[in-house]
Amino acid sequence: NMSEQEREFQARIDAGVKIEPKDWMPEAYRKTLIRQISQHAHSEIVGQLPEGNWVTRAPTLKRKSILLAKIQDEAGHGLYLYSAAETLGVSRDELLDALHSGKAKYSSIFNYPTLSWADMGAIGWLVDGSAIINQIPLCRCSYGPYSRAMIRVCKEESFHARQGYDIMLALCRGTPEQKQMAQDALNRWWWPSLMMFGPSDADSVNSAQSSKWRIKLFSNDELRQRMVDQTVPQAEFLGLTLPDPDLKWNAERGHYDFGEIDWSEFHNVLKGNGPCNKERLRTRVKAWDDGEWFRDAMVAYADKQAARKSA
Ligand code: FAQ
């Protein structure tokens, strides 16, 4: 029992027409987009923290400047995405409140610790690699501002993935200890990276509606499979082993079969009980509080300029 307006809206989506901020849209479409885009923005912002831990410990000046540039890109993606969410009628303050009070979700992946320099390699390779696989289709999603934001974001993510793989390559061509560091990082980041794609299709509550609205163009499991198929040969080239005894090429399917994901771990991280959830949130809130004087100064300056102009 769709209304006439809803039928027209769905017809535009089916015809591949982009929905723009001032167009009529069902309330649930608006809500779903605010949910996904804001979670995505929060992920970019919190996602700076695990890598931020390694800026002062990067092995060379070159690696340090690359890592800094990458982390700054993530900040830019976050701001871009908050702007896209704001076009849907929500304020940035509301979104940040939800993040800082622990109400909002952000990607599970950023609740794992970064124990060695090799983790910078594994994150770029696997986490940014997964982000690209998830986000390339979003460049064609139905909501104009989100789809356009994704184009630049994906270009930058591909630089991030390359720099990560380059770190892994350097370590794997180094001493046996360095190669072992790379293997250890891969062992720890592999399964959490597969969890980034979300619950299995059978358990994904939002998938059916989001697909209808072309917010999702491929299912969680389809994209996860794409990630596995793409990454296995890359691991082989590095001479590293993926930590999954069930991983095997399936000629009939034309894909790699892989083992069962530990969904209890996934749900535990989503509930706030992952290894670093509390630390990440604490660090994020502290950064926000520490920046208050600066935000206040900006507002005071803007007020002064405005007063001068009207005087
Ligand atoms: N972590 O019904 P579905 C990056 C939630 S990349 C936490 O399948 P949906 C770049 C989900 O929100 C990472 N929560 O949901 C970077 C939902 O909860 P809700 C960010 C998760 O939305 C790299 C519930 O579970 N990328 O930051 C996760 O249809 C390196 C049920 O799930 C994006 O956000 C998870 N892994 O599909 C930065 C991409 N998975 O809201 C720094 C855009 C699921 O009902 C360094 N987002 N949940 O309470 C999406 O494509 C989708 O939102 C999915 C989830 C695929 C993540």
Side-chain angles (χ1 to χ4, degrees), residues 293-304:
W293 69 271
F294 185 75
R295 293 191 301 277
D296 288 348
M298 297 283 278
V299 172
Y301 180 74
D303 287 348
K304 206 157 73 182

PDB file of all heavy atoms in Angstrom, residues 293-304:
ATOM      1  N   TRP A 293      38.441  25.116  22.910  1.00  0.00           N
ATOM      2  CA  TRP A 293      38.946  26.494  22.901  1.00  0.00           C
ATOM      3  C   TRP A 293      39.113  27.000  21.474  1.00  0.00           C
ATOM      4  O   TRP A 293      38.863  28.159  21.171  1.00  0.00           O
ATOM      5  CB  TRP A 293      40.276  26.583  23.664  1.00  0.00           C
ATOM      6  CG  TRP A 293      41.412  25.875  22.956  1.00  0.00           C
ATOM      7  CD1 TRP A 293      41.766  24.571  23.087  1.00  0.00           C
ATOM      8  CD2 TRP A 293      42.307  26.443  21.990  1.00  0.00           C
ATOM      9  NE1 TRP A 293      42.823  24.275  22.261  1.00  0.00           N
ATOM     10  CE2 TRP A 293      43.186  25.404  21.584  1.00  0.00           C
ATOM     11  CE3 TRP A 293      42.468  27.710  21.438  1.00  0.00           C
ATOM     12  CZ2 TRP A 293      44.197  25.601  20.636  1.00  0.00           C
ATOM     13  CZ3 TRP A 293      43.477  27.902  20.481  1.00  0.00           C
ATOM     14  CH2 TRP A 293      44.328  26.853  20.097  1.00  0.00           C
ATOM     15  N   PHE A 294      39.496  26.073  20.588  1.00  0.00           N
ATOM     16  CA  PHE A 294      39.733  26.460  19.194  1.00  0.00           C
ATOM     17  C   PHE A 294      38.407  26.761  18.490  1.00  0.00           C
ATOM     18  O   PHE A 294      38.267  27.774  17.802  1.00  0.00           O
ATOM     19  CB  PHE A 294      40.494  25.345  18.471  1.00  0.00           C
ATOM     20  CG  PHE A 294      40.885  25.711  17.074  1.00  0.00           C
ATOM     21  CD1 PHE A 294      41.926  26.591  16.835  1.00  0.00           C
ATOM     22  CD2 PHE A 294      40.194  25.171  15.988  1.00  0.00           C
ATOM     23  CE1 PHE A 294      42.289  26.932  15.535  1.00  0.00           C
ATOM     24  CE2 PHE A 294      40.552  25.516  14.687  1.00  0.00           C
ATOM     25  CZ  PHE A 294      41.598  26.402  14.469  1.00  0.00           C
ATOM     26  N   ARG A 295      37.419  25.888  18.714  1.00  0.00           N
ATOM     27  CA  ARG A 295      36.102  26.127  18.104  1.00  0.00           C
ATOM     28  C   ARG A 295      35.514  27.431  18.639  1.00  0.00           C
ATOM     29  O   ARG A 295      34.955  28.230  17.880  1.00  0.00           O
ATOM     30  CB  ARG A 295      35.164  24.943  18.375  1.00  0.00           C
ATOM     31  CG  ARG A 295      35.582  23.648  17.693  1.00  0.00           C
ATOM     32  CD  ARG A 295      34.492  22.579  17.776  1.00  0.00           C
ATOM     33  NE  ARG A 295      34.129  22.228  19.138  1.00  0.00           N
ATOM     34  CZ  ARG A 295      34.772  21.363  19.908  1.00  0.00           C
ATOM     35  NH1 ARG A 295      35.856  20.751  19.445  1.00  0.00           N
ATOM     36  NH2 ARG A 295      34.368  21.102  21.129  1.00  0.00           N
ATOM     37  N   ASP A 296      35.665  27.654  19.946  1.00  0.00           N
ATOM     38  CA  ASP A 296      35.161  28.901  20.542  1.00  0.00           C
ATOM     39  C   ASP A 296      35.834  30.112  19.912  1.00  0.00           C
ATOM     40  O   ASP A 296      35.182  31.127  19.623  1.00  0.00           O
ATOM     41  CB  ASP A 296      35.416  28.908  22.056  1.00  0.00           C
ATOM     42  CG  ASP A 296      34.502  27.924  22.781  1.00  0.00           C
ATOM     43  OD1 ASP A 296      33.545  27.430  22.139  1.00  0.00           O
ATOM     44  OD2 ASP A 296      34.758  27.641  23.969  1.00  0.00           O
ATOM     45  N   ALA A 297      37.141  30.008  19.707  1.00  0.00           N
ATOM     46  CA  ALA A 297      37.877  31.132  19.122  1.00  0.00           C
ATOM     47  C   ALA A 297      37.393  31.418  17.700  1.00  0.00           C
ATOM     48  O   ALA A 297      37.257  32.570  17.298  1.00  0.00           O
ATOM     49  CB  ALA A 297      39.382  30.827  19.131  1.00  0.00           C
ATOM     50  N   MET A 298      37.116  30.368  16.945  1.00  0.00           N
ATOM     51  CA  MET A 298      36.631  30.548  15.572  1.00  0.00           C
ATOM     52  C   MET A 298      35.286  31.269  15.568  1.00  0.00           C
ATOM     53  O   MET A 298      35.048  32.162  14.752  1.00  0.00           O
ATOM     54  CB  MET A 298      36.450  29.178  14.883  1.00  0.00           C
ATOM     55  CG  MET A 298      37.718  28.385  14.721  1.00  0.00           C
ATOM     56  SD  MET A 298      38.734  28.980  13.376  1.00  0.00           S
ATOM     57  CE  MET A 298      37.924  28.165  12.014  1.00  0.00           C
ATOM     58  N   VAL A 299      34.408  30.851  16.479  1.00  0.00           N
ATOM     59  CA  VAL A 299      33.081  31.479  16.546  1.00  0.00           C
ATOM     60  C   VAL A 299      33.221  32.944  16.980  1.00  0.00           C
ATOM     61  O   VAL A 299      32.603  33.841  16.396  1.00  0.00           O
ATOM     62  CB  VAL A 299      32.159  30.697  17.524  1.00  0.00           C
ATOM     63  CG1 VAL A 299      30.860  31.467  17.743  1.00  0.00           C
ATOM     64  CG2 VAL A 299      31.871  29.309  16.976  1.00  0.00           C
ATOM     65  N   ALA A 300      34.076  33.204  17.986  1.00  0.00           N
ATOM     66  CA  ALA A 300      34.277  34.577  18.464  1.00  0.00           C
ATOM     67  C   ALA A 300      34.813  35.451  17.329  1.00  0.00           C
ATOM     68  O   ALA A 300      34.380  36.592  17.147  1.00  0.00           O
ATOM     69  CB  ALA A 300      35.242  34.579  19.655  1.00  0.00           C
ATOM     70  N   TYR A 301      35.717  34.899  16.551  1.00  0.00           N
ATOM     71  CA  TYR A 301      36.296  35.651  15.433  1.00  0.00           C
ATOM     72  C   TYR A 301      35.223  35.962  14.386  1.00  0.00           C
ATOM     73  O   TYR A 301      35.110  37.100  13.914  1.00  0.00           O
ATOM     74  CB  TYR A 301      37.442  34.850  14.804  1.00  0.00           C
ATOM     75  CG  TYR A 301      38.086  35.553  13.635  1.00  0.00           C
ATOM     76  CD1 TYR A 301      38.941  36.644  13.849  1.00  0.00           C
ATOM     77  CD2 TYR A 301      37.843  35.151  12.328  1.00  0.00           C
ATOM     78  CE1 TYR A 301      39.524  37.305  12.787  1.00  0.00           C
ATOM     79  CE2 TYR A 301      38.431  35.799  11.254  1.00  0.00           C
ATOM     80  CZ  TYR A 301      39.266  36.883  11.489  1.00  0.00           C
ATOM     81  OH  TYR A 301      39.840  37.532  10.434  1.00  0.00           O
ATOM     82  N   ALA A 302      34.425  34.950  14.063  1.00  0.00           N
ATOM     83  CA  ALA A 302      33.356  35.146  13.065  1.00  0.00           C
ATOM     84  C   ALA A 302      32.369  36.198  13.558  1.00  0.00           C
ATOM     85  O   ALA A 302      31.937  37.070  12.786  1.00  0.00           O
ATOM     86  CB  ALA A 302      32.649  33.821  12.787  1.00  0.00           C
ATOM     87  N   ASP A 303      32.016  36.154  14.847  1.00  0.00           N
ATOM     88  CA  ASP A 303      31.088  37.143  15.417  1.00  0.00           C
ATOM     89  C   ASP A 303      31.666  38.554  15.301  1.00  0.00           C
ATOM     90  O   ASP A 303      30.974  39.508  14.965  1.00  0.00           O
ATOM     91  CB  ASP A 303      30.808  36.825  16.900  1.00  0.00           C
ATOM     92  CG  ASP A 303      29.913  35.600  17.055  1.00  0.00           C
ATOM     93  OD1 ASP A 303      29.341  35.153  16.031  1.00  0.00           O
ATOM     94  OD2 ASP A 303      29.796  35.087  18.192  1.00  0.00           O
ATOM     95  N   LYS A 304      32.963  38.666  15.610  1.00  0.00           N
ATOM     96  CA  LYS A 304      33.628  39.978  15.571  1.00  0.00           C
ATOM     97  C   LYS A 304      33.609  40.538  14.141  1.00  0.00           C
ATOM     98  O   LYS A 304      33.316  41.718  13.927  1.00  0.00           O
ATOM     99  CB  LYS A 304      35.069  39.819  16.056  1.00  0.00           C
ATOM    100  CG  LYS A 304      35.647  41.088  16.648  1.00  0.00           C
ATOM    101  CD  LYS A 304      36.810  40.821  17.594  1.00  0.00           C
ATOM    102  CE  LYS A 304      38.060  40.415  16.860  1.00  0.00           C
ATOM    103  NZ  LYS A 304      39.189  40.095  17.755  1.00  0.00           N
TER     104      LYS A 304
END
